[in-house]
Structure formats: C-alpha cells, structure tokens
Amino acid sequence: MNPAERMNPADLGIGPVPAKARLRNRLLVSTVGIAGLILCGLLLWNYLSFREHLTEEAQVRARFLADGAADRIDATLSGLQSLVDGMALSLSATSLDLTLEQMRTLQREALHQQPGLYGTTFAWLPERKPPDWGALAPFSYRDGDRLAYHDLAHDGLDYLDEDWFALPRFLGRAVWTEPYIHYTGKRMVTYSVPVWLASPDGPLLAGVVTSDIELDWLDRLLADLPLGEQGYALLISRNGVYISHPTDTIAMRESVFSLAEARGDPGLRQVGQSMLSGDPGMRPWIGWATGEKSWLAWGRLSTTGWTSAVVISQTQLDREIARLTQLQALAGGGGLILLFLAVGWIARSITRPITALSEAAPGIAAGNLDAPLPAPKGQDEIARLTTIFHAMRDRLKQYIADLEETTAARERINGELRIASDIQMDLVPKTFPAFPERNDMDLCAIIQPAREVGGDFYDFMLLDEEHVFLAIADVSGKGVPAALFMAVARSLLRAEAKIDRNPGRMLERLNDTLAEHNDACMFVTLFCAVVCLSDGTVTYANAGHNPPLWLRTTGSIEWIDSPTGIAAGPMAGLQYDTGHIQLAAGDGLLLYTDGVNEATDPDNQLFGNERLLERLHASQSLSCRETLDALLADILAHTGEAEQFDDITMMMFRRLS
Amino acid sequence: MDIFCEKQSDALIFVVRGRLDGSTAPALQEQLISQLDTASTIIIDCSALDYMASAGLRVLLLATKQCKKAGRPFGICSLKDEVLEVFKLSGFIAIIETFNSREQALAKLASPA
C-alpha cells in the first residue's frame, strides 16, 4: 500500500483503551469487589450472630456461676452447720451429762474432723453450769498447727452480750452471726445453736454451742470462678455488707448501701435491695471501676442467707468478638489480597495476548499491514483470534497486491483503449467542412461512442468530381470486439466502393468477405449511398440498417425504408437490392444509427422517431452542422443522467445546387 | 434479464425475460450454446422480452447457425412488437424462424423423430 494512504490510528477514532475499561482491570474490580462485598457481609453477619449468641451465653453463664458459687459455699457451710447441729442435739439428748474434759475431747474431735472449723465453744448459761465444771465457756481453737484451749469466761461474763450467745438465747433458734474480723485478723462467721434441757416446765436453755468458721477460703473460691477478664464475684451478707469483694478496702468494711450512699448511686441501692430480697436475679450493670457494660447475676445461700453475685463484662465480650472479627477480617483481607494477585495473574495471562492484539490491530486498521502482530500462543480462543488476524492480514496484503496488479492491468488496458479510441476516431473523417472548395453540398457527421471504442462508423468520400459516397454502419455489440469488426468492415467497404459504384453489389461483396471467417456471428447493419451531385440521383442499398430520412425542400420528411436487406456478416450469399431517389437542390439526407432514436432516459423511455422528426422539422433552415448539434443536444437532454447505452452516430448530407 | 428453461414435448424452451443487450447477452449465450445439444428442438420464448439489442441478435444468430449445422430445428416465438421490429429492421427475420406463439412453434418445429 502506498504509505500516503496509511493513517494515524487516532484519525480512525481508535484511541488507547482507558484504564477503567481495560478487561484486566474490570475483571479485577468485579471479582475482588464482589468477593470483598461477600466477605464484608459474612463478617458482619458473623459478628452480629456471634454477639447475640455470646451475649445470651454470658447471661446464662452469669446466672449459672452465681448459683454455682452459692451452692458451693452452701455445701461447705452446711457441713459445718450439720456438725454443730449434731453436737447440740447430742448434748441435749445426753442432758449435758458430761465432764469438762469430755466436752473438750468432743471439741478436739470436731476440730480434727472439720479442717474448715477454726474453733468451737460450749458456753453455759451461768446458772445452769454444773458445779464440777471448771470453766463456763470452754473454747477449743486452732493456733497455727496445734489446737489450743481457752475459757471465754476467764475475763468475766462478757460473752452473755455477744451476738453469738444472745441471739440464739433470745431467739430460741440457731443463728448465723454477721461475719466479723477476728482478733487474728481473719474474717470469721459464727454459727450458734441453743442447747435445751428437758424440764417439767418445758425445755430450758442450758447453753449455746458455737462454731467459728474462717472465711478467707471464700475469696479463693470466688476468685477461681471462670468469669473472664474484667469479671469478678462478690458475697454480701444479709445486711448487705460485703463479705468478699475483689477490692480489699471494701470487704468487711462497706455495705452495698454505704457504697451507694458514698457514691450517690441510687441504682446501686436498688440493686442491693433486689439482691437482698432472697430471690436469685440478673440485670445489666455498668462496672463501677471500669465503666464497662456488664451482666450482674446473683443467687442466695440457703445456709447463711447471704447473696453471692458475679459480674461478667459484656464490653469485654464485645471486645473479644471484635478481636475475633478483626482476626477474621485480617484473614479475609489476606485472602482478598491473594485473590487479587491470583485474578490479576490469571487476567493478565488471559488479556496479555488480547492487549497485544488490540495494540497491534489499529496499525493494521490504519493501513500499515507490515505492523508486527503478536504470535498466537496456545490453543485457546485468543490464539484462534490471533491466528485469524494473521490470516486476515495476509489475505488483505494479498488482496491489495492483487488489486494493485489488477489496477495496473486495468490502467494499462485503459491506456490502450484510449489509444485505440484515438485510432478509431482517426478511421472516420472528422474535418468539417469536409470539402470546403465545393459549394454544391453540405456534409457533417457526429460520432459519440458509448465506450472508449465503439462499433458505429460513418464514412464518406468523393469517388470522382461528381459522385460522393456516403455510408453509416452499426456493428453488433459494443466495445473492443465491435471496434475490431468495425475497422474491418470499414476498410472492406472503402475498398469495395472504389471498385464498383453500385451500392447493392458493394454490400453483397462486403457481406461475402465478412461471412468468410465469422464463427462469432458478428454482423454489421449498414446503409451506403452514392450521390450524383450534378443531377441529384442517389443510388443506395441497406443491410438491415435504420432507414435514413429524406429531408425535402418541400418540408416533408420521408423514411428511405425500401429496399432493405439483411445485416451483413452472418452468412454469405445474401442479395442486396439497390434503390434510387432523386434529390432536389436543398434536399437533405439524415443517416443515423439506433443510438439516436433508441437513446433512453433514466426511466428507460426512448428518444423515439417522433421526436427525431420534430427536431428535423424545426431545423429545416439550419446547416447540416447546426442540425446535428441541435439533435445531439436534444438527445443528451433526453438521456440526462442515464448512462449512454449505445454509440450515437449521425451523418447529414444536403445537396445545395 | 432472467432465463428459464422448460421442457415441452421434445423441445427445450428458453424463456427470456427483461432486456437482452450487450451486458446480458453473454449470459444467454453461455446457457443457450451449452444446452443446444440436450434437446432435439430449441425454442426461445420471447413473450416477456422487452428489449433486444444487436448483441442479443448476435447470440440468436449464433444459435441459429449452430442448429442449422446440426440439423436441429430452432425458432423464436411470441415476440413483442418492439423486438419484432428489430428483427425486421436488421433483416434477420429472413434468417431466424419466428412464430406468433409457442404452440405454433412447437407444432412446426417439434415434429416426431
């Protein structure tokens, strides 16, 4: 291709692919985007359902742990309670008929049996003490690893006012005292049971059996509860005093209500009331120290009537869920990055040949067929497409090469045709006036081939001073074959005209010669005439040609349609008759081919004989040249834009004197 | 131009429709000449032929000559006035047999062998 015909791809409207429209990027964005959305949805769903689930579980656990703590404490305390109850019962049953030594032995046994027991006392109501007892209130207790003994009444009868004695004495039933700090610094609680003696007046109080129970193990028990970070457990007494609390300064020093008072927190007071109501319960709670959302659950000890409570942090749970979700998001994000890389890699391997192709193709579209195309790789659709592109490019190249060759050939033929046309036009005389020295005739002719060369021709020549030869002919078909035949026919006719002036015989000989080697059945319609200029005699013969017109000075126009014969060429031996007419001075002859009356307009309407006659009637005063010019103008006006179908040839002769 | 072939009796009938001129004549020549040997009689039905140029006449002349050489009856029938005029003008009406109708052509040409 001519480099000048190559264009810039941009001129074809083929710009680079914008980044967001690139296949690879679209694939990446859609795949990773959708996966990301799904991941986010999953994370959110996971987070929400997890949180709901864990929240429920936290509540269940809080209740469970609070109740569990209460039960475990109860289990320990009830063991001790049973022991003391048992001691009171057996003392009562034996009517306290035992010595001090026996009592102390009993106490030592109890301390041995119950490691949770710190000490145990039997305190007499003083007036009931048997006289042989050396002590009013024998008290056995632990002192480190060994057991010690002490008479609580050693320093007087102060114990009568102590809760542990007074309460069972006056309430007449077993009593758990409020917890207290023992002089050893340990938290303790005392369980006292009255011991009765039967009498005629009913049971009489003899004394009180007590057991002192150390409470430090409660802290350990509560601390060991699985409450999670920020979770804690506590124990409050019947009066709301904190027995165990993770904050040291609160245990045994504060009560729920004193704290509520100190903090000005009516919510805490309300909670305290609920907790001391005796029923287990649970409520949301804001941790005082941490300010975190929590769950507070509590249960009641059936032995002492205390309340065990646990706080489980909801915020902590939330944090854990968030941390878990974060981990999942992190893993998901990692997965997304992997997906991004994988899709990117796959998309790249898929689109690389497409990209290469799309970058190379505009060059081809712009006409640069030598632009390099990527080589097809593999057997996939893109490889196929690339192969097709190669084939297309090669075919295009081949096609253009062929086209160039064809064009060159056609140009050569056209050049030759132009030369042929020049030669053909030289075959017909075209200098007018043809005989300027003669004033006895007017002669003019026009030929306008439909193609470069045609099959029409006219001819004229002076046979001698008095005789002029006129001929017009139309070879079958058009173009080069017709032109070749025309050249032959014209030469033969010219030769015959010079040999014999009889038009009929001219045509007979011409026909015989043409028919000799004419397998293609070419033929020529031909009218020829010999005009005697001195007397106006015209002899003529017609081989199947359009009848000429006789334009008489009288104004009438006649067809010279007889005699007429068969077109010359197809078969030998045809006969042609010679006709005669007499031209008056001023009479004219119009010879023409069917390209005149059969000239067609775009609607296939013929120019027609009527219009031909009309024009001739209108131009009787005009010279031959003016008449032909006017006729040709009429014909061309009629055909308009329509393609010229046939050669247009006309010759007009007028005898002047 | 369209060309249809029909068999009737022993005759092969070419129905030529439209314009027979320099650009369409070669197609007729190709079909006609190649099938001349396939039937004992050849008839060209011109009832739908609107126009005939000299190139068309040449093809018909060619067929006439070849059929004459082979002794095979050949004729054309049902010419419209304009086409008949061309035949008359060129004088070929004296060389090529023409008939007013297909029946007439068949009756005259397709004689039993």
Side-chain angles (χ1 to χ4, degrees):
Chain A
M1 182 178 276
N2 185 344
E5 293 172 42
R6 288 182 188 163
M7 299 172 71
N8 187 333
D11 296 339
L12 298 171
I14 306 172
V17 182
K20 69 173 181 181
R22 279 174 173 269
L23 274 183
R24 194 181 74 176
N25 295 353
R26 277 163 52 197
L27 209 60
L28 267 180
V29 168
S30 54
T31 314
V32 177
I34 289 170
L37 281 178
I38 292 173
L39 182 72
C40 287
L42 274 177
L43 283 176
L44 185 68
W45 178 78
N46 208 14
Y47 174 79
L48 291 177
S49 60
F50 227 56
R51 195 170 69 161
E52 193 183 348
H53 175 73
L54 282 186
T55 303
E56 270 174 33
E57 200 181 87
Q59 295 178 36
V60 169
R61 214 171 76 189
R63 275 180 208 276
F64 174 78
L65 288 175
D67 289 345
D71 288 348
R72 285 173 66 182
I73 297 169
D74 266 344
T76 306
L77 294 184
S78 66
L80 296 169
Q81 189 175 333
S82 307
L83 176 79
V84 180
D85 286 344
M87 278 171 70
L89 264 178
S90 60
L91 287 176
S92 188
T94 54
S95 304
L96 281 164
D97 184 17
L98 76 175
T99 63
L100 174 61
E101 278 315 306
Q102 283 172 321
M103 174 59 77
R104 284 184 57 186
T105 306
L106 197 65
Q107 288 179 338
R108 273 199 300 277
E109 281 298 308
L111 285 171
H112 275 301
Q113 271 179 27
Q114 289 289 343
L117 202 60
Y118 171 76
T120 176
T121 307
F122 178 79
W124 285 102
L125 196 63
E127 56 265 34
R128 302 267 191 267
K129 183 180 84 79
D132 55 337
W133 276 54
L136 251 178
F139 174 49
S140 298
Y141 65 99
R142 296 177 198 279
D143 182 11
D145 290 336
R146 65 187 188 86
L147 297 178
Y149 169 78
H150 180 66
D151 181 7
L152 293 178
H154 188 272
D155 300 325
L157 293 175
D158 294 344
Y159 69 85
L160 292 180
D161 299 329
E162 297 274 351
D163 279 355
W164 60 266
F165 191 87
L167 287 176
R169 177 185 177 186
F170 295 115
L171 292 177
R173 59 172 171 82
V175 166
W176 284 92
T177 64
E178 275 292 290
Y180 56 93
I181 307 262
H182 191 250
Y183 69 90
T184 55
K186 297 178 192 295
R187 267 165 297 171
M188 293 227 184
V189 67
T190 300
Y191 180 60
S192 312
V193 183
V195 180
W196 306 93
L197 286 177
S199 80
D201 305 327
L204 293 172
L205 182 77
V208 170
V209 181
T210 73
S211 60
D212 299 334
I213 300 161
E214 220 188 299
L215 293 180
D216 286 352
W217 56 274
L218 285 175
D219 285 348
R220 283 194 304 280
L221 186 142
L222 293 179
D224 286 345
L225 290 176
L227 297 170
E229 271 181 70
Q230 307 292 345
Y232 60 92
L234 52 91
L235 192 66
I236 55 178
S237 74
R238 282 186 304 260
N239 295 335
V241 175
Y242 289 100
I243 302 166
S244 175
H245 192 277
T247 310
D248 288 339
T249 53
I250 289 177
M252 301 304 290
R253 290 193 180 87
E254 302 278 359
S255 76
V256 179
F257 305 105
S258 69
L259 267 187
E261 211 58 43
R263 291 172 185 171
D265 185 349
L268 183 59
R269 187 180 306 130
Q270 247 173 359
V271 172
Q273 284 162 355
S274 303
M275 288 199 297
L276 296 181
S277 69
D279 296 323
M282 187 182 63
R283 55 182 296 167
W285 180 246
I286 303 292
W288 182 261
T290 56
E292 287 184 345
K293 265 171 56 185
S294 311
W295 292 100
L296 170 67
W298 62 87
R300 188 176 169 85
L301 274 67
S302 53
T303 48
T304 55
W306 300 340
T307 301
S308 69
V310 299
V311 172
I312 286 184
S313 168
Q314 175 71 41
T315 305
Q316 183 60 27
L317 271 179
D318 288 348
R319 252 201 303 275
E320 266 175 48
I321 297 165
R323 199 172 53 85
L324 212 65
T325 308
Q326 258 174 8
L327 267 179
Q328 287 173 336
L330 217 61
L336 267 190
I337 290 173
L338 277 181
L339 183 68
F340 183 85
L341 292 177
V343 171
W345 182 77
I346 293 168
R348 200 174 131 79
S349 67
I350 290 175
T351 59
R352 191 163 33 200
I354 298 183
T355 307
L357 201 59
S358 85
E359 275 165 7
I364 291 176
N368 180 12
L369 295 185
D370 296 323
L373 274 176
K377 277 182 201 156
Q379 299 197 313
D380 58 10
E381 292 87 339
I382 299 158
R384 196 172 126 83
L385 188 66
T386 310
T387 309
I388 291 170
F389 246 84
H390 274 276
M392 196 173 77
R393 197 259 313 263
D394 295 346
R395 286 292 304 272
L396 210 55
K397 259 178 158 172
Q398 184 60 45
Y399 176 74
I400 287 172
D402 290 352
L403 199 65
E404 279 171 10
E405 208 172 294
T406 313
T407 308
R410 190 182 321 154
E411 273 168 14
R412 198 177 61 242
I413 291 171
N414 282 344
E416 287 173 5
L417 272 179
R418 275 192 295 278
I419 297 168
S421 174
D422 291 345
I423 293 171
Q424 190 179 34
M425 286 303 111
D426 285 345
L427 291 178
V428 295
K430 278 207 302 296
T431 314
F432 298 105
F435 309 109
E437 71 283 4
R438 298 193 70 113
N439 52 14
D440 52 355
M441 63 170 163
D442 183 10
L443 180 64
C444 190
I446 286 178
I447 184 164
Q448 184 164 326
R451 300 187 191 166
E452 284 84 354
V453 290
D456 281 12
F457 73 92
Y458 63 79
D459 203 1
F460 57 83
M461 60 183 168
L462 275 172
L463 297 173
D464 56 32
E465 283 303 303
E466 276 192 61
H467 294 89
V468 65
F469 170 74
L470 305 173
I472 191 156
D474 181 356
V475 172
S476 59
K478 289 191 286 274
V480 173
L484 287 173
F485 202 74
M486 166 265 176
V488 171
R490 177 199 165 269
S491 303
L492 288 174
L493 182 63
R494 244 175 191 254
E496 297 301 341
K498 285 172 183 168
I499 294 167
D500 189 338
R501 292 184 186 175
N502 180 285
R505 286 199 296 274
M506 274 184 221
L507 292 188
E508 280 167 15
R509 286 198 305 275
L510 172 72
N511 176 56
D512 289 347
T513 315
L514 287 177
E516 262 175 44
H517 303 288
N518 188 13
D519 289 341
C521 269
M522 295 289 284
F523 63 87
V524 58
T525 68
L526 195 153
F527 176 90
C528 68
V530 174
V531 182
C532 179
L533 291 166
S534 55
D535 62 5
T537 309
V538 180
T539 56
Y540 62 90
N542 190 343
H545 197 77
N546 294 56
L549 286 162
W550 182 4
L551 316 171
R552 310 185 75 154
T553 46
T554 56
S556 71
I557 300 176
E558 294 175 22
W559 300 100
I560 307 173
D561 53 4
S562 177
T564 182
I566 300 168
M571 58 182 65
L574 297 178
Q575 301 244 316
Y576 296 96
D577 294 334
T578 301
H580 299 265
I581 56 170
Q582 196 72 34
L583 291 186
D587 277 4
L589 293 173
L590 179 73
L591 285 57
Y592 63 92
T593 59
D594 56 5
V596 171
N597 55 339
E598 290 180 11
T600 48
D601 69 2
D603 297 327
N604 268 343
Q605 293 298 311
L606 301 182
F607 183 69
N609 289 338
E610 276 73 36
R611 213 174 310 197
L612 177 62
L613 292 175
E614 243 171 65
R615 164 51 63 189
L616 290 175
H617 275 299
S619 40
Q620 275 177 345
S621 56
L622 301 178
S623 70
C624 290
R625 167 176 288 255
E626 288 165 338
T627 306
L628 293 187
D629 285 347
L631 258 177
L632 183 64
D634 266 11
I635 294 165
L636 295 182
H638 173 72
T639 56
E641 294 294 310
E643 188 194 355
Q644 187 184 338
F645 218 59
D646 204 351
D647 305 340
I648 297 172
T649 309
M650 297 180 281
M651 180 159 76
M652 186 164 175
F653 170 85
R654 184 173 278 141
R655 181 177 169 236
L656 293 180
S657 60
Chain B
M1 181 196 68
D2 303 305
I3 305 168
F4 305 99
C5 278
E6 291 174 20
K7 267 268 185 180
Q8 195 167 339
S9 305
D10 282 339
L12 183 62
I13 300 170
F14 289 85
V15 181
V16 185
R17 202 167 69 185
R19 294 171 61 87
L20 186 53
D21 55 26
S23 58
T24 57
L28 177 64
Q29 177 171 344
E30 195 178 324
Q31 280 215 30
L32 190 56
I33 301 303
S34 67
Q35 295 189 61
L36 282 182
D37 296 339
T38 63
S40 57
T41 304
I42 305 292
I43 294 171
I44 314 282
D45 185 337
C46 298
S47 54
L49 185 66
D50 300 323
Y51 173 78
M52 166 95 79
S54 55
L57 280 176
R58 191 186 68 77
V59 174
L60 295 183
L61 268 179
L62 201 63
T64 306
K65 272 176 86 170
Q66 293 202 2
C67 284
K68 194 172 278 178
K69 214 183 281 176
R72 181 179 291 113
F74 177 89
I76 57 179
C77 68
S78 316
L79 292 97
K80 289 188 178 177
D81 287 346
E82 305 90 87
V83 180
L84 186 62
E85 192 57 38
V86 176
F87 271 83
K88 282 181 181 163
L89 197 61
S90 61
F92 289 150
I93 199 151
I95 298 176
I96 305 170
E97 274 201 274
T98 57
F99 302 94
N100 288 335
S101 66
R102 188 192 287 199
E103 290 68 32
Q104 196 183 8
L106 282 169
K108 277 274 172 61
L109 298 177
S111 51

